[in-house]
Amino acid sequence: MSSVLDADLLSPGVLADPYAFYAGLREREPVHWSERMGCWLISRHADCVAILREPERFTADPAAAGYAMDEALASVQNLDPPRHGPLRNLLMTAYRTQNHEALARELTRRADRLAGRLMTSTRPDLIGDFLAPLAMSAVGELLGVPEGDLAELGAIAEAVAYSMDTHLDAERARAAARARGELSDLVGRLLDGARPDAPGLLGALSRDPAPAGVMPSWVRHSVRIFLSAGYTSSYATAANAFVALQEAGVHPARALDGTALNELLRYAGPVHGLARICARDGEVGGRVVRRGEIVLLLLAAANRDPARFERPEELMLDRAQNPHLALGWGPHACLGSLTAKATLSAALDTAARRLPSLRLETPVRYRPQATVRCPERLVVTPTGAVS
């Protein structure tokens, strides 16, 4: 059994259908120690929620579990309460001051223009020609990034996303550190050059200095995470949603309300794993987890847990009760969700209006990434004409 449960998450079979592997974990050993990965795999919804609700026992902060960590490298992603609160409040205050209705209108305009150009390609790719540039527009507008910097930011963010699976492929660790450093340096230059009257989060953060106890480097690294997750997770969310809708035989026009968007996130959300570190010995699902051990929450497995969701393997766009974990939980909820929903909504609305016959070539091949699931390409068939 252990060999089956310790399958390589980057193998072609698991990349093509990770949900079968997740189901096996949930049924046979929902709290499983993976020798291959050197961590615990948690696949039940109840266990994932319990861990996320106990940051004092399962921490995002390596220092709290006894690991050495440079304070200057901290961010909203790897700080826990109480230090996490002032930093997150600073970021969320800057976010709430933005004109989100204007952002939604601008995204719709850009989506219309991108849809109009989509079919001019001899082999149109829904991701490269439509979803990725739309997500970058969302991030650029929200943060107030000059258009000339967007291409460089996008390339580095792609490298960050690819390098997230260092627990599965140690050779990616060096590339991960380099990509994160490059992105932090670029974000630092953007923050330093932002005018107080400039639009977007960069301008808002330049107007409101970091409160006491919040290092400027924490803000820089947090904005880096916001940008990276906001871009790659947003277009991956939309790409997975289009695949799910086609497989279910559902037109995008039927998936425009909030209930449907939430179900798409549950069923096909791109972020499949989230790590925490045990700071204090205890039990999870009857297994003893020791201080310093890593627990990997398989969010996509939890989102298809039959103990929490009725008919979890079905896409039910009218699912009213939907406590999915696609965007995380609590104070560490994914910052990228702020742009992911806006991008997904604009993409589906535009597809419903401008791409009524949209069809994607099958089978769909997925990138060699386990943490963030996304197709390599989504080639539009010749019948997917723009109206």
Side-chain angles (χ1 to χ4, degrees):
M1 180 189 298
S2 60
S3 61
V4 175
L5 299 183
D6 249 1
D8 181 2
L9 298 187
L10 294 177
S11 66
V14 176
L15 287 173
D17 181 17
Y19 300 103
F21 170 70
Y22 298 154
L25 277 177
R26 275 196 319 268
E27 293 165 5
R28 302 176 191 178
E29 201 170 322
V31 181
H32 169 69
W33 175 258
S34 170
E35 291 291 345
R36 178 189 295 272
M37 298 170 59
C39 68
W40 293 95
L41 302 182
I42 314 298
S43 53
R44 285 189 302 213
H45 187 278
D47 293 330
C48 288
V49 170
I51 288 171
L52 291 172
R53 283 177 169 167
E54 287 193 88
E56 67 281 357
R57 189 156 74 97
F58 294 100
T59 180
D61 182 354
Y67 288 87
M69 178 179 166
D70 185 346
E71 275 283 289
L73 298 179
S75 70
V76 71
Q77 189 177 54
N78 58 18
L79 288 174
D80 280 326
R83 295 194 299 167
H84 175 272
L87 175 59
R88 186 174 181 87
N89 289 341
L90 175 70
L91 297 171
M92 295 308 298
T93 298
Y95 170 75
R96 284 191 289 266
T97 62
Q98 305 309 304
N99 187 336
H100 298 284
E101 291 184 359
L103 172 64
R105 290 193 297 270
E106 179 59 24
L107 282 182
T108 297
R109 285 193 291 269
R110 296 196 183 196
D112 278 346
R113 290 198 296 270
L114 289 167
R117 294 199 296 262
L118 181 67
M119 300 306 293
T120 62
S121 170
T122 55
R123 191 169 170 77
D125 172 18
L126 191 69
I127 295 176
D129 297 327
F130 183 61
L131 299 177
L134 182 62
M136 183 52 73
S137 293
V139 170
E141 285 289 323
L142 186 59
L143 269 73
V145 177
E147 191 165 344
D149 292 308
L150 290 178
E152 183 181 2
L153 286 171
I156 302 174
E158 294 279 7
V160 171
Y162 176 76
S163 65
M164 290 179 71
D165 292 315
T166 54
H167 55 293
L168 298 170
D169 182 355
E171 294 184 1
R172 300 189 190 189
R174 186 175 301 175
R178 182 172 60 250
R180 287 194 297 267
E182 290 175 356
L183 193 53
S184 289
D185 289 344
L186 183 52
V187 168
R189 293 198 299 272
L190 291 171
L191 281 168
D192 291 342
R195 303 188 318 273
D197 61 343
L201 266 69
L202 295 177
L205 290 171
S206 71
R207 291 191 296 273
D208 298 324
V214 174
M215 297 175 64
S217 62
W218 297 2
V219 178
R220 182 172 70 252
H221 292 306
S222 298
V223 173
R224 180 253 299 169
I225 293 166
F226 191 108
L227 189 152
S228 178
Y231 171 55
T232 56
S233 295
S234 291
Y235 76 70
T237 296
N240 292 344
F242 276 98
V243 173
L245 289 170
Q246 177 165 303
E247 289 177 346
V250 177
H251 193 273
R254 292 179 50 199
L256 299 179
D257 63 74
T259 300
L261 294 181
N262 260 329
E263 173 65 353
L264 286 167
L265 286 167
R266 180 200 71 84
Y267 185 82
V271 180
H272 278 212
L274 180 67
R276 290 291 182 264
I277 310 173
C278 182
R280 190 172 70 242
D281 291 2
E283 286 194 2
V284 178
R287 304 293 299 275
V288 177
V289 180
R290 303 293 184 188
R291 173 177 165 82
E293 293 179 339
I294 296 172
V295 294
L296 182 61
L297 312 184
L298 297 174
L299 304 181
N303 285 341
R304 296 199 182 190
D305 186 347
R308 190 63 186 87
F309 300 96
E310 180 186 359
R311 291 152 50 198
E313 298 299 330
E314 294 182 29
L315 181 67
M316 299 168 56
L317 296 180
D318 60 351
R319 190 185 298 273
Q321 299 298 318
N322 202 343
H324 66 76
L325 304 179
L327 305 176
W329 188 279
H332 283 289
C334 178
L335 288 176
S337 67
L338 305 174
T339 51
K341 285 188 174 182
T343 302
L344 177 58
S345 180
L348 290 173
D349 174 71
T350 300
R353 292 183 293 102
R354 301 290 309 278
L355 305 167
S357 304
L358 179 69
R359 294 292 298 172
L360 306 171
E361 285 189 1
T362 57
V364 174
R365 290 177 56 86
Y366 286 85
R367 297 178 183 182
Q369 301 171 184
T371 303
V372 179
R373 179 170 168 82
C374 182
E376 290 182 349
R377 301 186 70 195
L378 289 178
V379 178
V380 179
T381 67
T383 59
V386 178
S387 63

